[in-house]
Amino acid sequence: MLNSMTGFARETAETSFGLMTCEMRAVNHRYLDVQFRLPEELRAKELDLRNRIGESLKRGKVECSIYLKRGVNKNEELNINEALVAQIAARAAEISKLLPDSQPLDPVDVLRWPGVVGEPEIDTEPLFADSLALLEKTLRAMIDMRNSEGARIAGMIEARLVEILSIAASVRARMPAVLDAVRARQKERIEKLDVDADPARLETELALIAQKLDVDEELDRLDSHVSEVRAALAGDEPVGRRLDFLMQELNREANTLGSKSADSETTKAAVDLKVLIEQMREQIQNVE
């Protein structure tokens, strides 16, 4: 099965610590590069989360963000930083002397001051268990999206392979007529020179010309490379790099076919092959 390297997923879950959200996006990359944005309480577990993603993905640049919106426990007493409150009150009193017309300090505003109300510590292990479960759910959703995109790419590639085989078969069928036309043109040129040519030498030269123009080997390799691409598409392992290499080999045969061309139809066939190969290559850049 062909997998794309691009994908996106976002999942949320209610936990005992509050509302947790996991967002994951991936784009193409030469290797697997995972970047995290985590709550401070999960920093120590980043390697474990990274390893979990590495078990399922082999290539791609992955950005994973986990957010936690802490819930409110009504039975939990507020932990007030009294020393900080005293400092705020002292400074507010000093400012009131300088600005006598200013409004008095609102206690609710003091509670909103960073660090005044301390949040209770979170037990890392239960939080990690919740985050891992949510990450796995998000990862599965993104993998489903990557698989769906991979299936679309595989269908596009297969359609181009069918066209490549059709063009190769057409060139192969026309080659005898092309070589006959080349032989006829060479003989006609010699006749116009009005010289006596050695028939044996003439046949030898014509045979050498036909050998240089023969593209059976290139067409056979095109067929072979198409079979290799199809075998790669049918496998279960990541094949992006192998497919990229096969595109180079297909392009090499198309170039050779064009250089050996003896007529405009063969030249057009070589150009059409290169267009099809480039279309596949562009899509394969996104394949895992």
Side-chain angles (χ1 to χ4, degrees):
M1 178 183 292
L2 204 64
N3 296 324
S4 170
M5 282 191 284
T6 59
F8 175 81
R10 188 175 188 271
E11 300 288 342
T12 59
E14 284 286 354
T15 71
S16 57
F17 304 98
L19 182 65
M20 186 179 293
T21 301
C22 181
E23 186 174 289
M24 196 176 299
R25 65 181 72 242
V27 295
N28 59 319
H29 202 61
R30 290 187 303 168
Y31 50 87
L32 182 61
D33 179 17
V34 183
Q35 300 179 0
F36 278 99
R37 182 178 297 171
L38 300 172
E40 195 61 36
E41 296 84 358
L42 287 174
R43 283 295 175 190
K45 297 295 186 179
E46 180 174 335
L47 181 59
D48 297 311
L49 296 172
R50 185 184 303 276
N51 290 338
R52 177 62 191 89
I53 292 177
E55 292 173 3
S56 298
L57 306 180
K58 301 305 177 185
R59 291 180 66 198
K61 183 175 181 180
V62 181
E63 295 179 356
C64 180
S65 301
I66 297 179
Y67 306 99
L68 178 63
K69 186 176 181 180
R70 297 281 291 270
V72 178
N73 188 346
K74 296 181 180 179
N75 298 322
E76 191 174 80
E77 292 185 2
L78 292 179
N79 183 14
I80 306 297
N81 187 337
E82 295 181 0
L84 180 58
V85 172
Q87 292 183 34
I88 295 173
R91 298 297 178 269
E94 293 174 3
I95 294 174
S96 296
K97 292 178 181 180
L98 298 174
L99 303 172
D101 295 332
S102 62
Q103 295 292 327
L105 185 62
D106 189 341
V108 176
D109 291 337
V110 175
L111 291 175
R112 295 195 185 102
W113 192 276
V116 168
V117 179
E119 292 186 345
E121 292 186 2
I122 293 179
D123 189 348
T124 303
E125 291 304 324
L127 178 63
F128 170 64
D130 289 342
S131 63
L132 182 59
L134 183 59
L135 180 138
E136 290 179 342
K137 182 179 180 181
T138 309
L139 183 59
R140 286 194 299 270
M142 191 181 74
I143 288 175
D144 288 343
M145 181 178 179
R146 284 163 59 113
N147 290 345
S148 176
E149 178 66 10
R152 184 195 67 79
I153 294 175
M156 185 281 294
I157 292 176
E158 175 58 30
R160 302 305 189 276
L161 294 178
V162 171
E163 292 187 60
I164 287 174
L165 291 178
S166 176
I167 292 173
S170 176
V171 172
R172 194 187 298 276
R174 292 182 57 259
M175 280 313 297
V178 171
L179 295 176
D180 287 343
V182 170
R183 289 172 62 88
R185 287 199 301 270
Q186 293 298 327
K187 288 184 177 181
E188 183 179 353
R189 289 172 183 171
I190 292 174
E191 291 174 357
K192 288 182 178 180
L193 293 176
D194 194 21
V195 296
D196 294 330
D198 181 0
R201 178 64 182 277
L202 177 59
E203 287 300 320
T204 300
E205 293 296 329
L206 291 174
L208 289 174
I209 293 174
Q211 185 178 10
K212 291 180 180 179
L213 298 178
D214 183 31
V215 293
D216 277 346
E217 186 175 348
E218 285 73 20
L219 296 176
D220 288 342
R221 282 200 289 263
L222 274 174
D223 292 346
S224 176
H225 295 331
V226 167
S227 298
E228 288 293 326
V229 172
R230 283 175 166 170
L233 293 177
D236 295 328
E237 297 296 321
V239 292
R241 290 175 179 170
R242 178 168 180 76
L243 289 175
D244 189 58
F245 169 76
L246 289 171
M247 293 304 106
Q248 296 178 36
E249 295 301 302
L250 283 168
N251 197 59
R252 190 194 312 277
E253 304 309 328
N255 284 333
T256 305
L257 182 65
S259 66
K260 288 187 174 183
S261 174
D263 69 330
S264 59
E265 287 299 317
T266 304
T267 300
K268 181 179 180 301
V271 172
D272 290 343
L273 286 173
K274 289 173 68 66
V275 170
L276 293 171
I277 295 166
E278 179 61 20
Q279 290 174 348
M280 290 191 294
R281 190 194 66 80
E282 289 179 355
Q283 292 295 321
I284 287 170
Q285 301 307 305
N286 293 322
V287 172
E288 185 178 21

